[in-house]
Amino acid sequence: MSDDLLQRLREALGTQHVLTDESDVAAYIVDWTGAHSGRALAVVRPGSTEEVADVVAACHRAGVAIVPQGGNTGLVAGGVPDGSGNQVVLSLGRMRAIRDIDPVAGTITVEAGVVLADVQAAAAAAGRLFPMSLGSEGSCTIGGNLSTNAGGTAVLRYGMTRELALGLEVVLPDGRVWDGLRGLRKDNTGYSLKDVFIGAEGTLGVITAAVMRLFPPTPVRATAWVSVPDTASAVTLLGLVQAHAGAHLATYEIVNRAALDLVLTHLPGARDPAPGATSDWAVLVELAGTSDLDAPLEAALGEAVEQGLVEDAAFAGSSAQRSTLWALREGISEAQKVEGATLKHDVTLPIADLALWTDRITPILESILPGVRLVTYGHVGDGNLHFNLSPPVVDGGNGGDALLAAAGELTSAIYDSVAAARGSISAEHGLGSTKAAAAASYKSQVEVDLMRAIKDALDPQGLMNPGTLLA
Amino acid sequence: MSDDLLQRLREALGTQHVLTDESDVAAYIVDWTGAHSGRALAVVRPGSTEEVADVVAACHRAGVAIVPQGGNTGLVAGGVPDGSGNQVVLSLGRMRAIRDIDPVAGTITVEAGVVLADVQAAAAAAGRLFPMSLGSEGSCTIGGNLSTNAGGTAVLRYGMTRELALGLEVVLPDGRVWDGLRGLRKDNTGYSLKDVFIGAEGTLGVITAAVMRLFPPTPVRATAWVSVPDTASAVTLLGLVQAHAGAHLATYEIVNRAALDLVLTHLPGARDPAPGATSDWAVLVELAGTSDLDAPLEAALGEAVEQGLVEDAAFAGSSAQRSTLWALREGISEAQKVEGATLKHDVTLPIADLALWTDRITPILESILPGVRLVTYGHVGDGNLHFNLSPPVVDGGNGGDALLAAAGELTSAIYDSVAAARGSISAEHGLGSTKAAAAASYKSQVEVDLMRAIKDALDPQGLMNPGTLLA
């Protein structure tokens, strides 16, 4: 049976694009964190929408499950196969064409396997801005961004991936192709099908191409690193910056002391930009536009100083200084990886409750695992914190083991607390296979039933990325 | 059977909120255009989510269809019953509570029956902006805006209703309540259920409340009426304004000479703001922000004059002058109504093709009905034209009859041409019962099947607003 399928896949794609040797498939069956790996019947690499459709139709007939995969940079094991060895990994990596770019309309039509940074570059070459930006942009793909409704540092101004997508092309679970590649800003002619597939993590079909929005470029920046006394001050400062800078506010990120210390330790040449501060919290704020923006940023920060919201601040006086400040923010994830075990959480809180929540959760976690280090950073302008736990620093160096031993209890405490505050346990990473069950446990039965009804309607055989998103 | 149902509805809502007398139901069974009317088994006016759920559950058990209705300002007969007399009209008009407003989080939680202007006013009273604005804002309701994914004059900057909604409360077709009233900017924990119900025109459930986004206010405006030689110049000018004003561009509306003439004729005191122009086209452009915006608008228009894109222009030098310019744009719909029969179309074109399209369609329509007047206006920044046809001016005054006689042919010519250009035959009005069949005829079978699969999954009995959206 599986031999038949492999034969058909080889006929459809050519032998070289159906990988089965252990060394060939190795990179596709383990996730970026290294914590999740599986086995695959095969890894297939179609080069066109038609070939994707052939693969999906063949698997559909054979009753074999498919795991779509983009740049394999996910953090929730949503793009790697399970351990059965019965699933086909469908990599979109060869679908890298930019089919069209229209600077007047402000649209770019890209295939799913185009790397995010290449979308940004193509837009820039056409005098336009594709604003989405996130740590893995050099290797993640736009198809993966769409399937997970990725966020990043530009959400505050431009929205999630969903809000940047105008149209999609999708191979449905039975192998038919839905051509929804419209580039219209307004189209009220029925259910918003694109929104059903965006963020569905490959459980309803395979996104093969998309029309994404482009924007006028914003070459002028005003950037500052601002040390603030506490998270409440960070939220208050956000309001001041919004009042002074309005639509120009592009980025508002928070970094706590533990996160900054990790970067200062592990990033060569990194220096504390606000050494006069003793507080635990800092924000990276950036305005972006087409004319000088120093004045509104200085006005906002001046008012903030008067209100006691600022301990120390550093303005970027040049593009190089700006890069230095951004490197501190962007280096956290890698720096934390160097230190070994990390328990990652990606939560949203209602922003008005965010400060209270961070104050409330800290002693709870400390009581579960004394000395646990809270490495907290993220997109505070969206209410989104990457709330990662690093091991306690202990003699004998077994802090990592202690962290892993307490992992379940720590994560449950965080999720319970987030749910009680009507927050989200996955702001931008999605559910994958690691959070699907937890998410369901915090949802109402009505909501779980609705999700299941949609899944059953579009993928009645349950062959699209089973175990991801829906437990 | 229907007597039983009426009895149950009276028990649930009180007799005074179950209308069956002809005079009581009259206003609910005919649409705003007056062209579409039906009959109703009853008009029910529940006052709470629980009462809506009771109504829907009772109708579900009785197998009786429900037509949800907001402010009854729709243009596509999506909120009025058919002629059978067997449908229950469910008016949300009594659900007018503003449940919560949080200026820090930038959210407002409103019940479905709150009038759009009241949402705007509540936001303003809290020092925030709810940007959605459209002609019927004094009587349309936020529930109707959500169910139709309404557009308006602020879409260019803030997006459609969909992009302004963070969470929903929905009564499902079986009477269960989905509480999705989350106010989070980022929440990737499963399918985006809210996006399934937004724009579904009441065919999948009844939206009873929503969490909507609020924004920092933009009290400073720069507004101009600019006469341009042709639609191509309007599109080029848009790019110039974007380049100079970037994120401050709030509104970019187009009005043709026939539309302006109607307003000048029928709106008391109206005057042509750019009398030096002889061209057929003008745009109303507005920047909005927190500090002076005259400079970027003047810079953009200065460059436009050099490029020959401007025939004449009038700046609003005061708030009163601004209102005068806006009145010209906002008066078109009423002015056209005064002249009798109108054939309305609400189309989107890819903006790069918009000028070509308007040039192409004009002689086609003229050949079908000589002298037909094209009253064209709308949200050209979004590629969205309200492309309305008024009768030829003929001796004997029977132009209206000629228009109605040719209506089918005229509309088909417009829709065929829009579809060929990969545009949309409903930009912001929805499909209702008047456009559902036409929309399906331009969609692929795959797309129709997907829509039908979602409908069948969520409303298997087909009792929610039958005949609307899906023919």
Side-chain angles (χ1 to χ4, degrees):
Chain A
M1 179 67 189
S2 63
D3 283 348
D4 280 358
L5 176 61
L6 290 173
Q7 182 56 30
R8 300 190 69 132
L9 294 173
R10 290 189 181 106
E11 286 165 14
L13 307 185
T15 306
Q16 73 274 34
H17 298 306
V18 180
L19 314 180
T20 51
D21 286 357
E22 199 172 326
S23 60
D24 291 339
V25 304
Y28 299 89
I29 59 174
V30 59
D31 79 340
W32 182 84
T33 69
H36 303 279
S37 60
R39 294 165 57 228
L41 179 63
V43 175
V44 298
R45 307 182 73 245
S48 67
T49 302
E50 195 175 39
E51 288 187 358
V52 173
D54 287 346
V55 168
V56 175
C59 290
H60 181 255
R61 283 192 298 269
V64 168
I66 292 171
V67 179
Q69 188 179 93
N72 197 13
T73 60
L75 297 172
V76 290
V80 288
D82 66 17
S84 69
N86 295 328
Q87 300 182 322
V88 167
V89 174
L90 194 167
S91 167
L92 281 302
R94 285 181 61 223
M95 292 193 61
R96 290 174 169 259
I98 293 176
R99 293 189 189 167
D100 183 53
I101 184 162
D102 183 337
V104 175
T107 57
I108 186 168
T109 305
V110 289
E111 292 187 344
V114 179
V115 168
L116 173 53
D118 294 338
V119 185
Q120 296 166 347
R128 285 291 177 267
L129 171 71
F130 185 65
M132 199 197 312
S133 178
L134 41 97
S136 59
E137 63 195 26
S139 48
C140 68
T141 61
I142 195 73
N145 299 144
L146 286 157
S147 287
T148 58
N149 188 29
T153 54
V155 172
L156 185 61
R157 176 153 171 186
Y158 295 99
M160 303 288 280
T161 309
R162 180 183 306 284
E163 290 160 86
L164 302 175
L166 294 171
L168 296 183
E169 178 187 84
V170 179
V171 174
L172 302 181
D174 61 4
R176 292 193 299 168
V177 179
W178 172 53
D179 176 2
L181 280 180
R182 290 182 283 263
L184 306 175
R185 190 86 172 86
K186 301 168 90 169
D187 179 25
N188 278 350
T189 58
Y191 304 138
S192 185
L193 297 175
K194 72 179 172 66
D195 284 305
V196 175
F197 295 103
I198 294 170
E201 303 186 31
T203 63
L204 302 176
V206 182
I207 295 172
T208 49
V211 184
M212 307 300 294
R213 293 180 65 193
L214 302 178
F215 296 81
T218 57
V220 181
R221 313 290 175 103
T223 312
W225 183 277
V226 187
S227 182
V228 295
D230 46 39
T231 49
S233 300
V235 172
T236 308
L237 176 59
L238 172 62
L240 284 181
V241 177
Q242 284 174 330
H244 283 275
H248 289 124
L249 177 59
T251 296
Y252 195 82
E253 300 279 305
I254 200 164
V255 175
N256 81 343
R257 174 64 56 181
L260 179 61
D261 283 345
L262 280 173
V263 179
L264 296 177
T265 302
H266 296 291
L267 184 72
R271 286 174 40 209
D272 187 345
T278 57
S279 91
D280 270 349
W281 299 94
V283 295
L284 175 66
V285 53
E286 185 165 280
L287 313 185
T290 53
S291 56
D292 188 53
L293 294 164
D294 290 343
L297 184 56
E298 284 165 11
L301 291 180
E303 201 172 325
V305 168
E306 283 171 23
Q307 295 186 22
L309 303 173
V310 176
E311 287 210 344
D312 193 5
F315 283 83
S318 67
S319 155
Q321 286 175 8
R322 173 180 178 259
S323 299
T324 303
L325 296 182
W326 271 93
L328 296 174
R329 165 63 186 86
E330 289 177 338
I332 299 169
S333 192
E334 285 292 341
Q336 195 171 25
K337 206 175 180 184
V338 173
E339 295 237 338
T342 303
L343 205 56
K344 287 178 184 288
H345 308 91
D346 166 43
V347 301
T348 311
L349 281 305
I351 196 162
D353 302 330
L354 190 135
L356 270 177
W357 182 83
T358 53
D359 291 347
R360 194 163 58 226
I361 193 68
T362 304
I364 295 174
L365 301 178
E366 176 68 24
S367 74
I368 295 172
L369 182 62
V372 63
R373 286 176 293 162
L374 311 187
V375 179
T376 307
Y377 60 99
H379 319 295
V380 69
D382 311 309
N384 175 196
L385 294 180
H386 297 310
F387 198 77
N388 296 349
L389 310 187
S390 276
V393 178
V394 294
D395 290 340
N398 63 349
D401 293 343
L403 182 70
L404 292 178
E409 200 179 347
L410 291 164
T411 293
S412 289
I414 292 169
Y415 287 175
D416 286 352
S417 175
V418 166
R422 292 186 76 86
S424 169
I425 69 164
S426 183
E428 58 178 16
H429 294 168
L431 296 179
S433 57
T434 65
K435 294 189 185 176
S441 75
Y442 294 108
K443 289 182 184 292
S444 66
Q445 189 61 46
V446 173
E447 188 159 325
V448 172
D449 289 351
L450 279 170
M451 284 175 50
R452 175 57 65 185
I454 289 169
K455 171 74 172 176
D456 291 346
L458 299 190
D459 180 25
Q461 285 192 266
L463 295 178
M464 295 308 305
N465 218 3
T468 283
L469 192 133
L470 283 161
Chain B
M1 177 68 187
S2 61
D3 283 350
D4 281 359
L5 176 62
L6 289 173
Q7 182 57 30
R8 300 190 68 132
L9 294 173
R10 290 189 182 105
E11 284 164 14
L13 308 185
T15 305
Q16 73 273 34
H17 298 306
V18 180
L19 315 180
T20 50
D21 285 356
E22 198 172 328
S23 59
D24 292 338
V25 304
Y28 299 88
I29 59 173
V30 59
D31 78 341
W32 181 85
T33 69
H36 303 279
S37 60
R39 294 165 57 231
L41 179 62
V43 174
V44 298
R45 305 184 74 244
S48 67
T49 302
E50 194 174 39
E51 289 186 357
V52 174
D54 287 346
V55 168
V56 175
C59 290
H60 181 255
R61 282 192 300 269
V64 168
I66 293 171
V67 179
Q69 187 180 94
N72 196 14
T73 61
L75 298 172
V76 290
V80 288
D82 66 17
S84 70
N86 295 328
Q87 300 183 321
V88 167
V89 174
L90 194 166
S91 167
L92 282 302
R94 284 180 62 225
M95 292 194 60
R96 289 176 170 256
I98 293 176
R99 293 190 189 166
D100 183 52
I101 184 162
D102 183 337
V104 175
T107 58
I108 186 168
T109 306
V110 289
E111 293 186 345
V114 179
V115 168
L116 173 53
D118 293 338
V119 184
Q120 297 166 346
R128 285 290 177 267
L129 171 71
F130 185 65
M132 199 198 311
S133 179
L134 41 98
S136 59
E137 63 195 23
S139 49
C140 67
T141 61
I142 194 73
N145 300 146
L146 286 157
S147 287
T148 58
N149 187 29
T153 53
V155 172
L156 185 60
R157 177 155 171 184
Y158 295 99
M160 304 286 281
T161 309
R162 181 183 306 283
E163 291 158 88
L164 302 175
L166 294 171
L168 296 183
E169 177 186 84
V170 179
V171 174
L172 303 181
D174 62 4
R176 293 193 299 168
V177 178
W178 172 52
D179 176 2
L181 280 180
R182 289 181 284 263
L184 306 175
R185 190 84 171 85
K186 301 168 89 169
D187 178 25
N188 278 350
T189 59
Y191 304 137
S192 185
L193 297 174
K194 73 179 172 65
D195 285 305
V196 175
F197 295 104
I198 294 170
E201 304 186 30
T203 62
L204 301 176
V206 182
I207 295 172
T208 48
V211 185
M212 307 300 293
R213 294 180 65 191
L214 302 178
F215 295 81
T218 56
V220 181
R221 313 291 175 102
T223 311
W225 183 278
V226 187
S227 182
V228 295
D230 46 39
T231 49
S233 300
V235 172
T236 308
L237 175 59
L238 172 62
L240 284 181
V241 177
Q242 284 173 330
H244 283 274
H248 290 122
L249 178 59
T251 295
Y252 194 85
E253 300 278 306
I254 200 164
V255 175
N256 81 344
R257 173 64 55 182
L260 179 61
D261 283 347
L262 280 174
V263 179
L264 296 177
T265 303
H266 297 291
L267 184 72
R271 285 176 40 210
D272 187 343
T278 57
S279 91
D280 269 349
W281 299 94
V283 294
L284 175 65
V285 53
E286 183 164 282
L287 313 186
T290 53
S291 56
D292 187 54
L293 293 164
D294 290 343
L297 183 55
E298 285 165 11
L301 291 180
E303 202 173 323
V305 168
E306 283 170 24
Q307 295 185 22
L309 303 172
V310 176
E311 288 211 343
D312 193 5
F315 284 82
S318 67
S319 155
Q321 287 176 6
R322 173 179 178 260
S323 298
T324 303
L325 296 182
W326 271 94
L328 296 174
R329 164 64 185 88
E330 289 177 337
I332 299 169
S333 192
E334 286 291 341
Q336 195 171 25
K337 206 173 178 184
V338 173
E339 294 239 337
T342 302
L343 205 54
K344 287 179 185 287
H345 308 90
D346 166 41
V347 301
T348 310
L349 281 305
I351 196 162
D353 302 329
L354 190 136
L356 270 177
W357 183 82
T358 53
D359 291 347
R360 195 163 56 226
I361 192 68
T362 304
I364 296 174
L365 301 178
E366 177 67 26
S367 73
I368 295 172
L369 182 62
V372 64
R373 286 177 292 162
L374 312 187
V375 179
T376 307
Y377 60 99
H379 320 295
V380 70
D382 311 309
N384 175 196
L385 295 180
H386 297 310
F387 199 80
N388 297 347
L389 310 187
S390 276
V393 179
V394 294
D395 289 340
N398 64 348
D401 293 342
L403 182 70
L404 291 178
E409 198 179 347
L410 292 164
T411 294
S412 289
I414 292 169
Y415 288 175
D416 287 351
S417 176
V418 166
R422 291 186 77 84
S424 170
I425 68 163
S426 183
E428 57 178 16
H429 294 168
L431 297 179
S433 57
T434 66
K435 293 189 186 176
S441 76
Y442 293 108
K443 289 181 185 291
S444 66
Q445 189 60 47
V446 173
E447 188 158 326
V448 172
D449 289 350
L450 279 171
M451 285 175 50
R452 176 56 65 186
I454 289 169
K455 171 74 171 176
D456 291 346
L458 300 190
D459 179 24
Q461 286 192 265
L463 295 178
M464 297 307 306
N465 217 2
T468 282
L469 191 134
L470 282 162

